[in-house]
Amino acid sequence: MPRYELCVILKAMQRPETAAVLRRTVETLLARGAVVRSLESLGERRLPYKISKHDSRHTHGGYFSVDFHASPRIVSELLDHLERDIDVLRPTVLKKDPERLQALCCGAQAERAHTATSR
Amino acid sequence: MFALSLSRLLLQALPKKPVTPRATAQCIRSLTTSQEESLKKDDMPTKMENPFKSPPKTCILCNITVDFKNVQLLSQFISPHTGRIYGRHITGLCGRKQKEVSKAIKKARSMGFMSVTLKDPQFIKDPDICGIKHFE
C-alpha cells in the first residue's frame, strides 16, 4: 500500500477539543482501512497568513502530521470529509515517495566519476 | 714488394680470431655498474594520487534533505522584502537542489506553512547565504 502523509491545520482550541478532533480524524482513517503509522504534532503557531474557513477568519492554528498507509481510493473521500469538518482549517494529503537509492548529489557524483576514470 | 708488406701489416693489425659480439640483455646489463642501476630506479616517478587535486565542487545543500516543513531553511532562499524566491544566479545552488527548494517553498505556501508575500520576522536575522545586496 502506498504511503501518505496528512498535514492538517486545526483551529486554535483547548487541549481536550484538539484531542477529540484528532481522535475522530484517525478513527475515520482506520474505518476506511488505513494503517496509521504515526501522529506528530508540529506545534501550535501563528498562521503565515489569515485563513478564512467555515465563516471565520483564523490567525492561529495547530499543525499536525499523520503518517499512514492506505489504498489510493480513500484519499479523495478523506479529503472531502476533512473539508466538511468545522475544526479543520487546511487538510493536505501528500504521497510519500519510497526511499529509493537517492541519486548522488553533485559533489559526490563528480567524485565518483573522477575515481572511476582514474582507475 | 711494398704493396705486399703493407698488406702484411694490415693482416697483422687485424685481430686473428674474429670476435662475434653476443649482444644479449644480460651482457649489456653487466656492462653498467650497480650504482648507476640504483640511480636509474630512483629517478623513475613514483605512482601517487594527484596532490594538486582540487576538492569536488559542491553546492551548499549537497547531502541535505530539503523538506517543506523546514520553513527556516526555505526562508533563507526568499527575499525579506517581497518573499519572492531567489533565482539560481543568486542562490548558487545546483540545478537539482534549486528545483527541490523551489518546489518545497511553493508546497509550504499552499499548505499554510510559509507566507507568500513576506519572510517570517523571526527568520530575518538568519545568516545570509545568497549574498545579495539589496538596493539601499
Side-chain angles (χ1 to χ4, degrees):
Chain A
M1 285 201 286
R3 195 168 147 181
Y4 293 100
E5 188 180 345
L6 165 70
C7 287
V8 66
I9 306 178
L10 303 180
K11 199 167 79 174
M13 300 173 286
Q14 297 299 315
R15 203 185 163 87
E17 285 149 16
T18 328
V21 176
L22 286 168
R23 194 193 177 83
R24 63 168 184 257
T25 313
V26 174
E27 271 171 7
T28 47
L29 269 172
L30 294 169
R32 282 162 219 268
V35 177
V36 177
R37 218 175 152 109
S38 66
L39 165 63
E40 290 154 15
S41 163
L42 305 166
E44 191 182 299
R45 19 175 157 150
R46 203 185 154 134
L47 298 174
Y49 42 82
K50 292 198 191 109
I51 295 178
S52 311
K53 193 93 180 177
H54 305 299
D55 303 322
S56 55
R57 211 133 183 251
H58 305 268
T59 44
H60 293 77
Y63 289 70
F64 294 92
S65 165
V66 184
D67 204 357
F68 63 96
H69 287 267
S71 144
R73 266 178 281 125
I74 70 162
V75 173
S76 53
E77 294 169 16
L78 175 71
L79 273 171
D80 211 31
H81 178 268
L82 287 166
E83 288 281 337
R84 288 203 205 100
D85 195 332
I86 318 166
D87 298 317
V88 170
L89 296 180
R90 192 159 289 192
T92 324
V93 176
L94 296 168
K95 195 161 73 171
K96 266 206 166 172
D97 283 327
E99 292 212 15
R100 51 202 151 117
L101 294 161
Q102 273 183 0
L104 293 167
C105 207
C106 37
Q109 226 172 37
E111 216 181 290
R112 258 208 183 176
H114 185 84
T115 49
T117 49
S118 65
R119 277 177 210 158
Chain B
M1 275 280 287
F2 187 68
L4 267 166
S5 64
L6 188 64
S7 64
R8 264 207 186 161
L9 270 170
L10 284 168
L11 274 167
Q12 277 173 6
L14 282 170
K16 286 177 186 171
K17 279 183 184 177
V19 176
T20 52
R22 274 178 280 152
T24 55
Q26 280 179 337
C27 277
I28 288 171
R29 235 183 241 167
S30 59
L31 286 170
T32 59
T33 55
S34 56
Q35 268 184 349
E36 282 177 36
E37 265 181 57
S38 58
L39 276 171
K40 277 187 183 174
K41 274 181 190 168
D42 290 333
D43 208 19
M44 292 300 289
T46 49
K47 282 192 179 175
M48 65 196 300
E49 213 185 274
N50 183 8
F52 304 105
K53 202 164 73 167
S54 55
K57 275 186 270 183
T58 56
C59 70
I60 339 162
L61 292 183
C62 217
N63 298 325
I64 294 173
T65 46
V66 173
D67 200 15
F68 65 89
K69 285 173 260 188
N70 191 352
V71 180
Q72 189 161 20
L73 174 66
L74 296 175
S75 297
Q76 285 184 303
F77 299 102
I78 60 170
S79 162
H81 304 293
T82 52
R84 292 175 80 184
I85 308 174
Y86 286 138
R88 207 163 299 188
H89 58 288
I90 301 172
T91 59
L93 294 171
C94 68
R96 186 189 296 162
K97 284 293 165 185
Q98 175 71 22
K99 196 83 186 178
E100 271 182 37
V101 164
S102 174
K103 286 266 180 194
I105 290 172
K106 288 176 186 173
K107 203 185 268 185
R109 281 174 180 171
S110 85
M111 289 170 69
F113 279 83
M114 207 161 107
S115 174
V116 182
T117 43
L118 52 92
K119 189 170 176 177
D120 201 316
Q122 55 178 304
F123 300 141
I124 286 179
K125 297 282 173 74
D126 284 349
D128 190 23
I129 293 180
C130 304
I132 184 171
K133 282 184 185 165
H134 293 284
F135 181 79
E136 278 175 40

